Structures are given as structure tokens and as C-alpha cells.
Amino acid sequence: MRIRATVAALSGTLALSALVVPAAQAADGPSSAPRLAAKASQGANVGDTKITKVSVNGGKDVVVGTTNKVKFSVAVTATDPEGIAAGSAFLYHGGSIDTADGVLTPDDFDGKCKVVNATTSTCTVTVVADPKVDLYNDLAGSGWKVYAAAGANDGDSAEGESYKSDANVQRYARLTTNASPEPIKKGKTLTVTGALTRANWDTSKYAGYTKQSVKLQYKKKGAASYSTLKTITSDTKGNLKTTVKASADGYFRYVFAGTSTTPAVTSTSDFVDVN
């Protein structure tokens, strides 16, 4: 309930920030600002303003570890015959504002607007994700939406709460590879171990990512690219282990393709001397 109340309050704050008539227009219509504020609080659009596009982090996933705050942009493109004066946005998690269970807010609700043409502008805010304050494990993935608002030069406005984010919010991942013994004689069995771990936002530590498919790849010394030798599954602690026959000097690495909650990651390669 606390998060839902916070999200509802933020939507009102954003609407007031983005939709109140600019100061330059106040002289032409002093009664417009109260009217817009009232309309905004009811979730209504006013006039010809339309939000045509909302983009989170340029469409790239937002990846957050255990300690560092991550900043990313949310861009709101809007159009009005008289041009756009302001725009803003924030992210919430859940089916709707009324059922939100998470929220990510800008450090400044006043978006910086860039004119595209006489009728259209793109207004951008910088949103902050703090893994110690804003996130817990169940919020990872694609369940984020954007509440966006825009105000025009003539006092018209638009807002909406159901813009689907084009980026997932993900738990940062780590992947390691170690091939042994080395050096090794040609034809002998080489054991390749590793671990797939990811950020646990509930504990602020890294923990094994279990039961995930990971590819073991090899590149012969002097070759231009890697080839996949086999695909194995991480165990209940995220550990990886398999064996291969040593054939020639070369590099081994593990590669994880990623999921909606966790980004793709490739380990540092481990060189093996075969003699």
C-alpha cells in the first residue's frame, strides 16, 4: 500500500511539473494552470497534445548490480500544433498505478526538451535505480511501465500511465572460466570449471544463477573466432563443470545468452598450453 500511495503521489507531482502552463503563456491565459492541474489529477488530456513515443534507456536493458546506483534516461516525444514546452516521466512496476509494487523516479522531474520541429519535441529525464533502496528480486524483468506527461506552449497537455517500457530492468551477472590442468598433453582430459552468478537485490550480494544453459566455446591459437563445443547447465549453486579432450593450444570460455531478468555475459577466456 505504501508503494501504491507513493506512485499515486508521484503521478500527481509529475503532472503538475510537466503540464502547468509555462510562465511565458500565463499572461495570455491566467486561468489555464489551475484547469490543467485539475484535469491532470484526473488523468485527462487537454487539447491537441499527443505523446507519440516513450523510450527507456534508448531501448537497451537497464542492468543493476548490488551496490552502485545506475542512472538512465527516459525520453518522451510529444507533439502539438503550438509546440511542446515540457515533459516528464517515471517508471513503475505492475499492471497499473493502482497495483504498482515498485517505482523508479527521476533525479529532476523537469525534463530537458529538445525541439525536433515546430510541433514536436523530445523531453528527457534521468532516472536513478538504487539497488539498496528501489529494487528487490521480484522486480527484475519486463514488468515495468512508464507514466509520462507532456505540456504544450498553449497550455494543452497529455499524460498516460500505460506506456510499456522498451527495456528490461535486470540483475547484473558474472561468469568465470578455468581450464585445468595446464599445461597438458595432447589427447588428455581437460576439466573446465566456472560459475554463473548474478546480483541478489534482496541481500546485496552475488549468488549462483541455477539451472541455466551455458555454452563452452573454444578458439584455437591463431584462429579468428570461437566455436561452441557443448552446452551444459549450471548446478544448484550456479557452478559449471565439464570435460573435453585437449587438442591444441587455445582459449576456452563460457557464454551465457541471458534471460529477461539477467543480461547476457561472456567470461574472460582461459588459455591452455597443449604439448
mmCIF file of all heavy atoms in Angstrom, residues 64-70 104 128-136 201:
data_model
loop_
_atom_site.group_PDB
_atom_site.id
_atom_site.type_symbol
_atom_site.label_atom_id
_atom_site.label_comp_id
_atom_site.label_asym_id
_atom_site.label_seq_id
_atom_site.Cartn_x
_atom_site.Cartn_y
_atom_site.Cartn_z
ATOM 1 N N VAL A 64 21.564 -3.570 -13.265
ATOM 2 C CA VAL A 64 21.904 -3.029 -11.953
ATOM 3 C C VAL A 64 22.560 -4.113 -11.100
ATOM 4 O O VAL A 64 22.068 -5.245 -11.027
ATOM 5 C CB VAL A 64 20.648 -2.496 -11.235
ATOM 6 C CG1 VAL A 64 21.029 -1.817 -9.922
ATOM 7 C CG2 VAL A 64 19.881 -1.523 -12.132
ATOM 8 N N GLY A 65 23.665 -3.761 -10.455
ATOM 9 C CA GLY A 65 24.375 -4.689 -9.586
ATOM 10 C C GLY A 65 23.851 -4.640 -8.166
ATOM 11 O O GLY A 65 22.656 -4.436 -7.926
ATOM 12 N N THR A 66 24.748 -4.777 -7.199
ATOM 13 C CA THR A 66 24.331 -4.854 -5.800
ATOM 14 C C THR A 66 24.536 -3.565 -5.015
ATOM 15 O O THR A 66 23.926 -3.384 -3.964
ATOM 16 C CB THR A 66 25.094 -5.973 -5.070
ATOM 17 O OG1 THR A 66 26.504 -5.700 -5.160
ATOM 18 C CG2 THR A 66 24.793 -7.328 -5.683
ATOM 19 N N THR A 67 25.411 -2.687 -5.490
ATOM 20 C CA THR A 67 25.757 -1.506 -4.689
ATOM 21 C C THR A 67 25.609 -0.183 -5.427
ATOM 22 O O THR A 67 25.096 0.781 -4.856
ATOM 23 C CB THR A 67 27.193 -1.612 -4.154
ATOM 24 O OG1 THR A 67 28.099 -1.777 -5.270
ATOM 25 C CG2 THR A 67 27.340 -2.798 -3.209
ATOM 26 N N ASN A 68 26.068 -0.102 -6.656
ATOM 27 C CA ASN A 68 26.111 1.178 -7.364
ATOM 28 C C ASN A 68 24.751 1.609 -7.897
ATOM 29 O O ASN A 68 24.005 0.804 -8.457
ATOM 30 C CB ASN A 68 27.098 1.104 -8.534
ATOM 31 C CG ASN A 68 28.533 0.936 -8.088
ATOM 32 O OD1 ASN A 68 28.892 1.309 -6.970
ATOM 33 N ND2 ASN A 68 29.359 0.373 -8.945
ATOM 34 N N LYS A 69 24.455 2.890 -7.735
ATOM 35 C CA LYS A 69 23.263 3.459 -8.339
ATOM 36 C C LYS A 69 23.470 3.542 -9.855
ATOM 37 O O LYS A 69 24.566 3.856 -10.319
ATOM 38 C CB LYS A 69 22.999 4.863 -7.790
ATOM 39 C CG LYS A 69 22.710 4.914 -6.300
ATOM 40 C CD LYS A 69 22.507 6.353 -5.851
ATOM 41 C CE LYS A 69 22.265 6.427 -4.347
ATOM 42 N NZ LYS A 69 22.089 7.833 -3.888
ATOM 43 N N VAL A 70 22.432 3.248 -10.603
ATOM 44 C CA VAL A 70 22.504 3.298 -12.063
ATOM 45 C C VAL A 70 21.565 4.384 -12.570
ATOM 46 O O VAL A 70 20.386 4.406 -12.225
ATOM 47 C CB VAL A 70 22.124 1.934 -12.682
ATOM 48 C CG1 VAL A 70 22.060 2.034 -14.201
ATOM 49 C CG2 VAL A 70 23.125 0.863 -12.259
ATOM 50 N N LEU A 104 10.679 3.725 -9.962
ATOM 51 C CA LEU A 104 11.978 4.331 -10.212
ATOM 52 C C LEU A 104 11.733 5.756 -10.702
ATOM 53 O O LEU A 104 11.024 5.949 -11.699
ATOM 54 C CB LEU A 104 12.764 3.541 -11.263
ATOM 55 C CG LEU A 104 13.124 2.099 -10.890
ATOM 56 C CD1 LEU A 104 13.782 1.382 -12.065
ATOM 57 C CD2 LEU A 104 14.043 2.075 -9.670
ATOM 58 N N VAL A 128 16.988 7.303 -11.647
ATOM 59 C CA VAL A 128 18.004 6.667 -10.811
ATOM 60 C C VAL A 128 17.469 5.356 -10.234
ATOM 61 O O VAL A 128 16.389 5.321 -9.641
ATOM 62 C CB VAL A 128 18.434 7.595 -9.662
ATOM 63 C CG1 VAL A 128 19.528 6.940 -8.828
ATOM 64 C CG2 VAL A 128 18.907 8.940 -10.199
ATOM 65 N N ALA A 129 18.243 4.274 -10.403
ATOM 66 C CA ALA A 129 17.902 2.979 -9.808
ATOM 67 C C ALA A 129 18.943 2.650 -8.746
ATOM 68 O O ALA A 129 20.115 2.425 -9.065
ATOM 69 C CB ALA A 129 17.870 1.890 -10.874
ATOM 70 N N ASP A 130 18.526 2.633 -7.493
ATOM 71 C CA ASP A 130 19.407 2.328 -6.372
ATOM 72 C C ASP A 130 19.074 0.917 -5.881
ATOM 73 O O ASP A 130 17.995 0.687 -5.327
ATOM 74 C CB ASP A 130 19.203 3.340 -5.245
ATOM 75 C CG ASP A 130 20.181 3.140 -4.093
ATOM 76 O OD1 ASP A 130 20.786 2.067 -4.000
ATOM 77 O OD2 ASP A 130 20.332 4.079 -3.283
ATOM 78 N N PRO A 131 19.975 -0.065 -6.072
ATOM 79 C CA PRO A 131 19.641 -1.450 -5.717
ATOM 80 C C PRO A 131 19.404 -1.648 -4.222
ATOM 81 O O PRO A 131 18.754 -2.622 -3.826
ATOM 82 C CB PRO A 131 20.865 -2.242 -6.188
ATOM 83 C CG PRO A 131 21.980 -1.250 -6.196
ATOM 84 C CD PRO A 131 21.341 0.049 -6.606
ATOM 85 N N LYS A 132 19.907 -0.750 -3.407
ATOM 86 C CA LYS A 132 19.727 -0.891 -1.959
ATOM 87 C C LYS A 132 18.421 -0.275 -1.468
ATOM 88 O O LYS A 132 18.000 -0.532 -0.339
ATOM 89 C CB LYS A 132 20.905 -0.246 -1.226
ATOM 90 C CG LYS A 132 22.215 -0.991 -1.414
ATOM 91 C CD LYS A 132 23.313 -0.406 -0.540
ATOM 92 C CE LYS A 132 24.599 -1.211 -0.631
ATOM 93 N NZ LYS A 132 25.658 -0.661 0.246
ATOM 94 N N VAL A 133 17.783 0.532 -2.324
ATOM 95 C CA VAL A 133 16.572 1.246 -1.907
ATOM 96 C C VAL A 133 15.370 0.903 -2.781
ATOM 97 O O VAL A 133 14.265 0.661 -2.294
ATOM 98 C CB VAL A 133 16.808 2.772 -1.924
ATOM 99 C CG1 VAL A 133 15.525 3.517 -1.573
ATOM 100 C CG2 VAL A 133 17.932 3.152 -0.969
ATOM 101 N N ASP A 134 15.578 0.873 -4.095
ATOM 102 C CA ASP A 134 14.462 0.805 -5.039
ATOM 103 C C ASP A 134 14.108 -0.591 -5.520
ATOM 104 O O ASP A 134 13.005 -0.800 -6.039
ATOM 105 C CB ASP A 134 14.785 1.666 -6.272
ATOM 106 C CG ASP A 134 15.093 3.097 -5.934
ATOM 107 O OD1 ASP A 134 14.386 3.664 -5.082
ATOM 108 O OD2 ASP A 134 16.042 3.658 -6.516
ATOM 109 N N LEU A 135 15.034 -1.546 -5.392
ATOM 110 C CA LEU A 135 14.854 -2.821 -6.080
ATOM 111 C C LEU A 135 14.888 -4.017 -5.145
ATOM 112 O O LEU A 135 15.604 -4.031 -4.149
ATOM 113 C CB LEU A 135 15.948 -2.992 -7.141
ATOM 114 C CG LEU A 135 15.967 -1.945 -8.257
ATOM 115 C CD1 LEU A 135 17.218 -2.108 -9.113
ATOM 116 C CD2 LEU A 135 14.716 -2.034 -9.110
ATOM 117 N N TYR A 136 14.093 -5.025 -5.490
ATOM 118 C CA TYR A 136 14.196 -6.345 -4.884
ATOM 119 C C TYR A 136 14.002 -7.352 -6.014
ATOM 120 O O TYR A 136 13.562 -6.996 -7.115
ATOM 121 C CB TYR A 136 13.195 -6.531 -3.738
ATOM 122 C CG TYR A 136 11.748 -6.273 -4.071
ATOM 123 C CD1 TYR A 136 10.915 -7.311 -4.471
ATOM 124 C CD2 TYR A 136 11.199 -4.990 -3.973
ATOM 125 C CE1 TYR A 136 9.576 -7.092 -4.767
ATOM 126 C CE2 TYR A 136 9.870 -4.749 -4.269
ATOM 127 C CZ TYR A 136 9.061 -5.806 -4.653
ATOM 128 O OH TYR A 136 7.738 -5.571 -4.956
ATOM 129 N N TRP A 201 19.329 -8.619 -5.235
ATOM 130 C CA TRP A 201 18.949 -7.315 -4.683
ATOM 131 C C TRP A 201 18.378 -7.429 -3.270
ATOM 132 O O TRP A 201 18.343 -6.440 -2.538
ATOM 133 C CB TRP A 201 17.925 -6.644 -5.593
ATOM 134 C CG TRP A 201 18.464 -6.260 -6.935
ATOM 135 C CD1 TRP A 201 19.749 -5.964 -7.245
ATOM 136 C CD2 TRP A 201 17.731 -6.122 -8.160
ATOM 137 N NE1 TRP A 201 19.874 -5.643 -8.578
ATOM 138 C CE2 TRP A 201 18.650 -5.737 -9.163
ATOM 139 C CE3 TRP A 201 16.389 -6.294 -8.508
ATOM 140 C CZ2 TRP A 201 18.264 -5.507 -10.478
ATOM 141 C CZ3 TRP A 201 16.002 -6.070 -9.820
ATOM 142 C CH2 TRP A 201 16.926 -5.674 -10.803
#
